Amino acid sequence: MLSIGQYVRAQSLEEAYTLCQKKSSVVLGGILWLKMQNRTVGTAIDLCDLGLEGIEETEEEFRIGAMTSLRALETHPGLNAYTGGAMARCLGSIVGVQFRNLATIGGSLYGRFGFSDPLTLLMALGAKVELYHRGVLELEEFAALPFERDILVRVILPKTTKGAVYLSQRNTATDFPVLTFAAARRPEGLVCALGARPGKARLFRDEEGILAGGITPESAETFGRWLADQAALGHDLRAGEEYRRRICRVLARRGLLELAKEE
Amino acid sequence: MENKTFKTVGKPLRKKDAMGLLLGKPAYVDDVTPRDCLVVKVLRSPHAHALIEEIDTSVAMKVPGMVAVYTYRDVPQKRFTMAGQTAPEPSPYDRLILDQRVRFVGDAVAVLAGENEAAVNKALKLVKVRYQVLEPVLDIHTAKDNPILVHPEENWRSLCPVGADNHRNLCASEVSGDGDVEAVLASCDEVVERTYHTKACQQAMMETFRTYTEMDPYGRLHVVSSTQIVFHVRRILANALDIPRSRIHVEKPRIGGGFGAKQTVVAEVYPALVTWKTGRPAKMIYTRQECQIAGSPRHEMEVRVRLGAMRDGSIRALDVYTLSNTGAYGEHGPTTVGLSGHKSIPLYTGGLEAYRFGYDVVYTNVQAAGAYRGYGATQGIFAVESAVNELAARLGMDPVELRKKNMVREGQAMPAYYGEVAGACALDRCMDRCAEIFGWKEKFPVRELGGGKVRTAGVAMAMQGSGISGVDVGSATVKLSDDGFYNLTIGAADMGTGCDTILAQMVAECMDCGLEDVAVFGADTDASPYDSGSYASSTTYVTGKAVEKACGELKEKICALAADMLGCGPEQVEFAGRTVRRLDGKGQVSLAQIADRSMCGNETALQATCSHSSPISPPPFMVGMAEIELDRETGSVKLLDYAAVVDCGTPINPNLARVQTEGGLVQGIGMALSENVTYTPEGRILEDSFMQYKIPTRLDMGKLRVEFESSYEQTGPFGAKSIGEIVINTPAPALAHAIYRATGVWHRELPITPEKILLGMDGQE
Amino acid sequence: MEISLTLNGKTVKAQIAPDTLLLDFLRQQGCLSVKRGCETANCGLCTVFLDEHPVLSCGVLAARAAGHQVRTLEGLQSEAEEFVGFIADQGAEQCGFCNPGFVMNTIALLRENPDPTDDEIRAFLSGNLCRCSGYEGQLRGIRAYLDWKKKGGADRGE
């Protein structure tokens, strides 16, 4: 049951930021997660009038407003062209179209949820978040921060990666993932993100140069094993640690081989 | 097998309420009852087993808008059962509306009523309860004869000899058999002995439990509920409130699904209590969470099968023992367990020389189980069919051939099925046809696709019953009205299955009129003729026969009045659909004229009411075959194709019969692969929402193909048997079989998740 | 607080609590086709259009919908009538409780993609649960409707 004392449509980011400093206030992306938490909210701050919806594409980057729905990202031709369809793959298994029309990218990322598909992919792609107070920072950095009272304004996705893949393992087609995997070729080298560990997505780099000679079935297999050893995997209602370990090896190997095929 | 062509029966006609439902017209409890009424909610126990030492409702009552908070001190002390069954009920009388002892996480502690939802939600948090937390009984293996008793109370009662004993945590216990099963097993070449485990799956119907109650102008309790069992509700509420049954009137509007969940009086008692005590209208709408933790799910069962066969594949002995978990209360405990043996073993009547079936149903401190489609047969068939498939693998025999060698055939008496004869049985044709349309020869061999992926197939057959022999009563009233149309009044409950329509189809067939000429009304305890209710797959077979009988009687009455109008004797006229005419061709009258005549100076009511009960319960039969693609690297299973061929006797409406089958298949797929029930060490259920309890979406099933191979049941209306429950019985064993074929591992506990599949292969070649 | 929104083409002004969900608001306004089936945004029964996008009305505050356009099945009767008969012809409506959400989302699908493949239909409707029909009959009905439209959408044969 969601209980809200006051509903305010912020007319400026400054107003939203000021209001959200109070402990009992909550910034609304959507209310999908909020309403399941049995919370009493003093002030609900809605950002819907701040023009934060929309995807802008330039030569260098995508600028995605925080209030953009997951569905809009999922169906965006530019984002899918850039990611080779990984964006649609990443988001298309989340509950249903109606759900994705309501879930905002801001809401999805701010929670830094373990089960978050978009957090995994965007982290691998080197996305940045622009926070009203803190400014712009890498998603990897943002994910590591503790919860702070700030406003996520937009996601900036620089067009710097060449090739991306997204894979997830789910017990049923539209359930929370048991494990998420994304890989991308950044200018500095290949990176991959592993999420739903069940912990939130973490970035991994090929520190040991396993893929230095290129992605082959053997090197992809070895990298998968290495990744499974590195990652802090655990258990939850959906899967145990050992199963995640096995899936990690498989998703990493399959993901890398798919990445190699894209070239 | 009879080849009959009917005019309306057997036709794929639209349901009478189809367009209204599809266009979103108000039709369900919360649509057709007043909004201005008390909101009723229940405070639920956080403990699996506890005594309420102190409960203080004074602060909760101070919330503006709160009208009442009831505790165990405010309710009658006569125990009753919430199970919808013919009285005297086999289910124990172990319930009170509110009890001082709470017996599962979610058990009712207090009933709250207020003028709006916000007030009640606030008040819920303000009821102060001090519990004496007790050790719960959570393991079915140690429940029987456990020193901790779930029902130690003196006034616990068992009305029927089902082997219940509350001092032993036993809700039912029995052994039955035929022949010397140990001797036969000892002389068999192969004995498969395995134990299977199924969980307390939820019906998960889309409309949660909900009831509206008010006092009517006669000072009677008027109940509008989403229920399958209006007459049982009347009796159960009378028991619960300790008031005469004559003071209660129960009806049902359109229902958003039941599947047996609503064969138990889950929600009704609470608003009924509020209305009876306050005199004010009240409504309770269960949340999905309440449905998941305090509903009436399938009985968790552990079924041990010992199957004895010869090397040539003849199955000679079956010994089944079921340990069933009825949970905190015994609804449907003594009855569901029986089907786990009596509706699985008879499938192999063909070669069986001996069988034994024993069971114990135990009380534990978890959610009370109830009736869910299949009602025990589903669990037993998962076990027996899996054992048969394992036998086939051991013998190196095709599992289809193995079944054809041993399956029950038409005309055989079935010792394990109460001695009844399989009077109408097309199981053999179902098997052949299913193999044909499925492509069993091509799909059964294991096909490697590379990349760790493999395609395999599995098979299972099933039976169920049609009504409860000698117990279920179905009734129908048919009357000729103004203008020559018919009113059909029934007590059976259409829960979306379309029984209103198919029973009207039967009237149309009997009276030789159009479906649109029959208006259906049901079910209402004041207005409807008595019907046990819609469960046990009884509506088509039992109520349908009552419809047929009532139409026969009505035709006689119509002819009698028409003969009078035509100036001759009733034996000189014939009923001709829209008219009644003289056999000598000298005149006729129309139905409209007869109806008019009946409304002026007439003493022959053009109305007939008949009841029917059958001494037998002819089983429907079916075969299911599943093809999967299994990813050996992840354990993921993709359903590719499921073919099912059903013998339900004559399908009264082929569309509805097909959709019933498809719906049941998908429920079975959910039970087999994704619907799980996990308890914390303290006995709380973790899958308490659709977020955690995963029923199949349309992406979790492949192609479904359903066909019918009809036998003709002489005792059924137009040759019909039933179809309501059998349809859920094949997927679990068929899928477990296909998974074995792909991985070399037999999974004997449901659901078979990707994790179990992957890790299960450790140690396999 | 007071809100104003457009509901099925008509302006509606009403007093609501800040935490009133659009689902409950719509039912209070008489749109009884909108159903509740869960508390976790999983079932799809409460699907309505918000500015012509299909959304879960349980996942929207009525306050958020203020100033916007909401459409329920009550306001889409003629568009629904054209295709639901094909579902009825399959008997796939069954208990009907999932129907309004399913019909709404199918209308949304066909507006966005008038000629979908079976896979596209399933994927778009994946957020609409049904426990009665097994989904297959609903797909047959949609396919029959699309075939009928392709043939010019003339005489409905029974």
Side-chain angles (χ1 to χ4, degrees), chain B residues 275-311:
Chain B
T275 292
W276 192 252
K277 283 197 177 275
T278 64
R280 294 172 67 166
K283 189 184 294 186
M284 179 164 193
I285 298 178
Y286 261 46
T287 61
R288 179 60 57 186
Q289 183 183 40
E290 285 179 303
C291 290
Q292 291 293 123
I293 67 166
S296 70
R298 192 179 288 288
H299 285 72
E300 173 189 12
M301 286 186 188
E302 203 176 75
V303 183
R304 192 204 63 201
V305 177
R306 292 164 76 212
L307 186 160
M310 305 308 279
R311 218 150 278 131

Side-chain angles (χ1 to χ4, degrees), chain B residues 14-15 23 25 28 30-31 35 202-203 288-289 372 655 659-660 662-663 675 696 698 703-704, chain C residues 27-28 35 37 39 42 77 85 89-90 93-97 125 128 131-132 135-136 138 140:
Chain B
R14 276 193 196 175
K15 284 208 285 138
L23 292 173
K25 305 296 183 206
Y28 306 89
D30 195 35
D31 302 335
R35 222 163 299 162
Q202 290 286 352
Q203 301 84 347
R288 179 60 57 186
Q289 183 183 40
Y372 180 1
N655 269 358
V659 173
Q660 278 287 290
E662 291 166 344
E675 295 177 33
R698 55 195 86 215
K703 184 108 196 71
L704 305 179
Chain C
R27 285 188 66 85
Q28 282 155 25
K35 308 291 187 214
E39 298 89 58
N42 286 104
Q77 292 284 291
D89 287 342
Q90 296 294 326
E93 74 288 346
Q94 291 292 283
C95 83
F97 212 67
L125 299 178
N128 291 87
R131 196 59 159 165
C132 293
Y135 305 116
E136 196 73 43
Q138 291 177 348
R140 277 196 298 272

Side-chain angles (χ1 to χ4, degrees), chain A residues 220-258:
Chain A
E221 169 79 33
T222 309
F223 185 86
R225 287 181 183 274
W226 174 83
L227 186 63
D229 286 337
Q230 296 301 304
L233 299 168
H235 70 269
D236 65 3
L237 185 61
R238 281 165 173 72
E241 185 184 324
E242 181 56 29
Y243 180 67
R244 284 193 160 91
R245 198 175 305 285
R246 312 279 184 102
I247 297 300
C248 177
R249 289 185 212 147
V250 175
L251 293 190
R253 194 192 83 239
R254 287 182 177 176
L256 290 176
L257 289 173
E258 203 181 303

Side-chain angles (χ1 to χ4, degrees), chain C residues 14-46:
Chain C
Q15 280 290 330
I16 57 154
D19 42 44
T20 302
L21 299 177
L22 184 60
L23 164 54
D24 296 305
F25 176 78
L26 291 173
R27 285 188 66 85
Q28 282 155 25
Q29 291 296 319
C31 295
L32 298 175
S33 72
V34 189
K35 308 291 187 214
R36 168 179 271 115
C38 75
E39 298 89 58
T40 53
N42 286 104
C43 67
L45 266 52
C46 65

Side-chain angles (χ1 to χ4, degrees), chain B residues 244-289:
Chain B
R245 293 169 203 185
S246 58
R247 302 295 299 278
I248 302 177
H249 167 209
V250 185
E251 58 169 301
K252 63 154 272 295
R254 290 295 87 182
I255 298 176
F259 310 110
K262 297 169 181 175
Q263 189 196 339
T264 295
V265 176
V266 173
E268 288 85 348
V269 285
Y270 307 112
L273 176 74
V274 170
T275 292
W276 192 252
K277 283 197 177 275
T278 64
R280 294 172 67 166
K283 189 184 294 186
M284 179 164 193
I285 298 178
Y286 261 46
T287 61
R288 179 60 57 186
Q289 183 183 40

Side-chain angles (χ1 to χ4, degrees), chain A residues 172 174-175 238, chain B residues 670 674-675 690-696, chain C residues 42:
Chain A
T172 62
T174 56
D175 191 10
R238 281 165 173 72
Chain B
S674 61
E675 295 177 33
F690 279 163
M691 181 172 278
Q692 310 299 7
Y693 187 77
K694 304 315 288 184
I695 69 172
Chain C
N42 286 104

